[in-house]
């Protein structure tokens, strides 16, 4: 008989408050760390701004002025003077494909933040020169052609010129992929190659190819899946370095949305091993994403038999590997793919979408599994809500709590209407928004118009209607994993190319954006009582910033990094004056890996 995997629970906020609400819980009253001389943005309504923070045993012990916090230490206390820098709660990405990002980080050349296509192509040429036979150069998302001075997409011919002999694959969102001639040859693609349903191969005269998701991204998933992977040792190393990269930007938590081509539990090895070693530098709450269309219910039934949700409450004090629930896809037939370069898909007419979604939803709700569902368009949300409301009604008739017994959310929701927001609110759901429009906004406007884009997503409506709301990136294959361009997008409404797409009504103040990226995101893992604020009894997850978040010009928000990141009361990243405080990770392996040679988020 197989033993169940013990996981961290999703606990109601009231229960968490009872356990963690006192600063005395698991603390001896003597601070391990005291942060002094800071401009601390606590998000604690009782004490919104202080200069100092005391930390003990992974929790915030107290906040206040420098003298009173210093008095909570002794001769063993680590006193950190941050020199007047802004201090914020650690950032929490409510929709980041973190475990998959770590799994592939060491294989990927990133164009995140690169300012010219010319430089991007030079990077491909440089990487091709060190890539061994049998391996690929791959650029997998996190960029927009409008970030480039040239303001255009690459061509297969340019990829071939940059890398005549080494195969190259470049992914643009889940819209298109680009192969050089060597990549086409390596995959054996010919005029007779049949594309998966909803995809199309376009072979180009130079021997390369463009892969079109119209709009189903399976053609892109399959291409990525065909590329060589990393060994277990390399995956652990890759994941460790990726999480250090997240720490560099002040991320201390992420809610992982699974992802296509990423199977639980076999593809989670890097994160799982780090958690077992006590070396996980961010808190990761995972939602499980079934991989085989038509077999989604069987996958959830198997996971339910193997995974013990609602484990030991005290385990929440440790940051680590958490299985939270099901999603972001519940069934493939109910997926409304977000390629804004193609027509909006419709769930209607898909064979069995309602029957399959109903069966999976009923099973998860009956078994108390939190869930979240990918839904870009209001038309899809209407049909999904029909299913959710029917399941809830039938469960209540049977004397069970239905959706009232779980946390659940809609992911993305770019064009959600007020009517459907009311339905989501009535069923107790939340909405997680991401910065996808920062990377695809120009294409969205071209297809749907500036008037629609002005309220996509309708952030102010969501807030005013009281629907729980979290912020994130959808990194790494769509948006960049860097949270600061996403925060700049929330505040300014501008794409990474500088186009203002969202109306002033749906832009946020800086404090609102920070709220969504901290305590707002914590709602989605049931931790809003213990995570997201710098206040007594909260998790000691903190970032000290390179710039004054509240004063730096809005168009420089994306330049912010952390100079000191603390997760669970432990220093996990340090730069500038704090660089010697973080633990060295060792070399990136394999030694030809792009992150070993390029600063992954470019500052050129």
């Amino acid at each position: 008989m197989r033993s169940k995997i013990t996981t961290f629970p999703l606990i109601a906020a009231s229960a968490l408050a009872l356990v963690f609400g006192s600063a005395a819980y698991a603390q001896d009253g003597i601070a391990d760390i005291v942060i002094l001389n800071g401009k601390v943005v606590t998000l604690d309504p009782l004490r919104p701004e202080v200069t100092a923070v005391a930390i003990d045993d992974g929790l915030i012990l107290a906040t206040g002025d420098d003298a009173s916090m210093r008095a909570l230490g002794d001769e063993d206390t680590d006193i950190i003077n941050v020199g007047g820098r802004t201090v914020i709660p650690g950032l929490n990405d409510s929709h980041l494909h973190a475990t998959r990002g770590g799994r592939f980080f060491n294989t990927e050349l990133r164009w995140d933040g690169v300012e010219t296509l010319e430089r991007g192509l030079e990077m491909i040429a440089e990487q091709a020169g060190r890539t061994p036979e049998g391996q690929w150069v791959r650029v997998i998302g996190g960029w927009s052609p409008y970030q480039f001075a040239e303001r255009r997409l690459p061509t297969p011919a340019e990829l071939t010129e940059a890398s005549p002999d080494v195969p190259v694959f470049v992914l643009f969102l889940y819209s298109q992929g680009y192969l050089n001639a060597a990549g086409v040859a390596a995959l054996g693609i010919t005029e007779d190659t049949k594309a998966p349903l909803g995809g199309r191969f376009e072979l180009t005269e130079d021997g390369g190819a463009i892969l079109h998701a119209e709009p189903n991204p399976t053609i892109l998933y399959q291409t990525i899946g065909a590329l060589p992977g990393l060994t277990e040792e390399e995956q652990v190393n890759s994941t460790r370095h990726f999480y250090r990269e997240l720490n560099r930007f002040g991320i201390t938590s992420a809610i992982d949305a699974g992802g296509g081509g990423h199977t639980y539990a076999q593809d989670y090895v890097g994160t799982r091993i780090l958690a077992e070693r006590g070396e996980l530098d961010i808190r990761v709450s995972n939602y499980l994403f079934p991989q085989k269309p038509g077999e989604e219910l069987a996958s959830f039934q198997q996971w339910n038999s193997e995974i013990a949700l609602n484990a030991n409450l005290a385990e929440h004090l440790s940051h680590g590997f958490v299985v939270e629930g099901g999603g972001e896809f519940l069934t493939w037939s109910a997926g409304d793919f977000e390629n804004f370069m193609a027509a909006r898909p419709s769930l209607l007419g898909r064979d069995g979408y309602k029957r399959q979604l109903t069966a999976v939803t009923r099973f998860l709700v009956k078994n108390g599994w939190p869930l979240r569902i990918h839904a870009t368009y209001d038309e899809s949300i209407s049909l999904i809500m029909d299913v959710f409301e029917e399941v809830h009604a039938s469960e209540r008739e049977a004397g069970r709590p239905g959706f009232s017994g779980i946390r659940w959310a809609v992911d993305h929701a770019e064009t959600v209407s007020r009517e459907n927001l009311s339905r989501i609110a009535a069923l107790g759901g939340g909405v997680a928004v991401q910065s996808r429009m920062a990377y695809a906004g120009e294409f969205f406007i071209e297809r749907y118009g500036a008037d629609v884009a002005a309220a996509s997503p309708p952030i102010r409506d969501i807030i005013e209607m009281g629907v729980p709301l979290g912020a994130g990136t959808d990194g790494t294959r769509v948006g960049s994993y860097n949270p600061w361009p996403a925060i700049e997008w929330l505040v300014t409404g501008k794409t990474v190319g500088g186009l203002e797409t969202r109306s002033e009504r749906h832009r946020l103040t800086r404090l609102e954006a920070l709220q969504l990226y901290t305590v707002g995101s914590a709602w989605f893992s049931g931790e809003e009582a213990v995570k997201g604020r710098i206040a007594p009894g909260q998790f000691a997850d903190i970032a000290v910033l390179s710039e004054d978040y509240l004063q730096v010009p809005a168009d420089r928000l994306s330049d912010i990094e952390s100079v000191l990141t603390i997760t669970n009361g432990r220093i996990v990243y340090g730069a500038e004056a704090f660089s010697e405080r973080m633990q060295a990770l060792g070399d990136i392996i394999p030694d030809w890996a792009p992150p070993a040679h390029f600063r992954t988020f470019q500052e050129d």
Side-chain angles (χ1 to χ4, degrees), residues 109 111 118-132 137 159 161-164 166 168 592-594 597-599 602 604:
L109 174 66
W111 278 356
E118 179 183 16
R119 176 57 186 149
L121 294 170
E122 288 174 353
M123 293 167 69
I124 285 177
E126 292 171 23
Q127 182 58 32
R130 67 175 68 91
T131 300
V137 177
L159 300 182
E161 182 180 1
S163 178
V166 177
V168 176
W592 56 266
H597 301 274
F598 296 102
R599 185 168 171 85
Q602 298 296 304
D604 304 85

Side-chain angles (χ1 to χ4, degrees), residues 13 47 64 71 93 109 122 166 171 179 206 246 252 290 318 341 354 358 374 420 472 488 501 543-544 599-600:
R47 186 172 280 183
D93 192 318
L109 174 66
E122 288 174 353
V166 177
L171 176 72
L179 292 167
D206 52 87
L246 297 181
T252 56
S318 300
M341 300 172 76
K354 185 172 184 179
T358 299
H374 170 115
N420 277 326
E488 183 174 309
T501 64
V544 181
R599 185 168 171 85
T600 49

Side-chain angles (χ1 to χ4, degrees), residues 442-463:
E442 289 86 354
F443 295 96
F444 185 95
I445 286 177
E446 184 176 343
R447 181 165 295 276
Y448 298 109
D451 289 345
V452 178
S456 297
I459 296 175
R460 187 61 60 188
D461 291 348
I462 299 170
I463 293 172

Side-chain angles (χ1 to χ4, degrees), residues 160-363:
T160 297
E161 182 180 1
S163 178
D165 303 314
V166 177
V168 176
F169 176 62
V170 174
L171 176 72
F172 172 54
L173 306 176
Y174 278 127
S175 298
Q176 293 182 342
Y178 300 85
L179 292 167
N180 68 345
V184 170
L187 294 176
I189 298 171
T190 70
E191 294 284 356
D192 298 323
T193 302
K194 185 176 180 180
L197 183 67
R200 175 170 63 90
F201 292 111
E202 177 190 346
L203 297 179
T204 53
E205 291 183 359
D206 52 87
I210 302 174
L211 282 56
H212 298 269
E214 294 182 338
N216 192 319
T218 299
I219 189 172
L220 305 175
Y221 284 140
Q222 288 184 352
T223 303
I224 295 170
L227 307 184
L230 295 171
T231 67
E232 181 175 295
E233 179 187 10
E234 290 168 341
Q235 286 184 55
V236 173
N237 179 277
S238 177
T239 301
R240 190 85 195 272
H241 281 274
F242 178 57
Y243 291 165
R244 174 62 58 84
E245 177 77 352
L246 297 181
N247 295 151
R248 177 161 75 100
F249 296 111
I251 292 179
T252 56
S253 290
I255 301 176
D256 188 290
H262 187 60
T263 302
Y264 183 81
Q266 67 203 51
D267 291 331
Y268 289 63
V269 61
T271 298
R272 177 181 55 78
I273 288 176
L274 289 177
E276 291 172 351
R277 293 176 181 173
E279 297 175 352
L280 203 54
D281 291 342
I282 68 171
R283 307 177 191 272
V284 185
S285 299
N286 294 277
Y287 280 76
L288 303 187
F289 188 128
Q291 298 301 309
K292 296 181 179 178
E295 299 181 23
E296 298 92 341
L297 179 59
S299 294
F300 283 119
Q301 289 171 334
Q302 178 180 345
W303 291 330
N304 186 61
S305 70
E306 296 175 345
I307 297 171
L309 298 177
N310 300 313
N312 182 359
L313 184 63
E315 293 291 345
H316 261 279
L317 277 174
S318 300
H319 65 311
F321 185 85
V322 184
V323 175
E324 202 72 64
E328 66 180 289
F329 267 31
L330 299 180
T331 66
W332 284 81
S333 60
D336 71 336
F337 310 111
E338 72 284 1
N339 179 8
F340 301 138
M341 300 172 76
R344 175 181 59 81
S346 174
L347 306 189
L348 294 173
R350 292 188 187 173
D351 184 33
Y353 96 85
K354 185 172 184 179
R355 171 181 50 80
Q356 293 174 357
L357 182 59
T358 299
V360 166
T361 303
R362 190 182 308 280
F363 178 81

